[in-house]
Amino acid sequence: MNSVRDAQEAIFWNYWPPFGHRSQGGSTVYDDKIKETKNAPYRDSYNMNLVMIAQITTVAGARAAAAIAALDGIHALYLDEDNLALQSTGVADYGQLAGAVRAAAQGNKKYLCTVNRKVTPQIMTCSP
């Protein structure tokens, strides 16, 4: 995510009302399940179990990380270390940007996720 607006859009379109604006779509599986449970229980369960991880890959995203992490509906920040390092080359200090993402997660009591790219398969770890 590059901005708070990106995060707000993700929340808006992924959660069911009243928190978000997700529609029923055209899937008969979802349509049947929603009708079967009379809408509310299915939607409430979905909203309670959805996990939103904001991927921070760009300089703009790292600079907005504190505001992104402050949003209700965002549960974790994924610090995409390799891509952020590449994006920041010649533009900003990677160490400061990565530190800001870590501080944003910690300051907002959100999980911080990173990937160990040295193992196969790569492993994502999320820590409080």
Side-chain angles (χ1 to χ4, degrees):
M1 297 186 181
N2 293 321
S3 67
V4 172
R5 184 72 186 138
D6 288 348
Q8 289 169 327
E9 284 288 312
I11 292 165
F12 185 77
W13 290 110
N14 282 285
Y15 283 92
W16 287 98
F19 192 68
H21 192 73
R22 181 183 175 105
S23 68
Q24 289 184 11
S27 170
T28 57
V29 172
Y30 288 122
D31 290 346
D32 292 347
K33 188 67 173 171
I34 290 167
K35 289 174 188 170
E36 175 185 312
T37 60
K38 299 192 180 8
N39 293 325
Y42 176 77
R43 291 178 179 191
D44 291 345
S45 176
Y46 181 93
N47 281 350
M48 288 186 306
N49 290 291
L50 178 65
V51 175
M52 291 284 297
I53 301 173
Q55 181 174 347
I56 308 298
T57 303
T58 64
V59 172
R63 289 181 175 156
I68 292 169
L71 294 173
D72 286 338
I74 298 293
H75 300 98
L77 298 180
Y78 163 44
L79 174 55
D80 187 349
E81 295 168 307
D82 287 357
N83 285 315
L84 182 58
L86 179 65
Q87 293 287 323
S88 65
T89 302
V91 178
D93 180 79
Y94 167 76
Q96 287 180 337
L97 294 173
V101 175
R102 289 183 184 96
Q106 183 178 25
N108 287 283
K109 295 180 171 63
K110 305 292 171 96
Y111 284 85
L112 176 68
C113 303
T114 57
V115 170
N116 182 348
R117 296 181 190 269
K118 296 177 180 160
V119 298
T120 303
Q122 297 174 359
I123 299 170
M124 178 182 274
T125 303
C126 298
S127 304

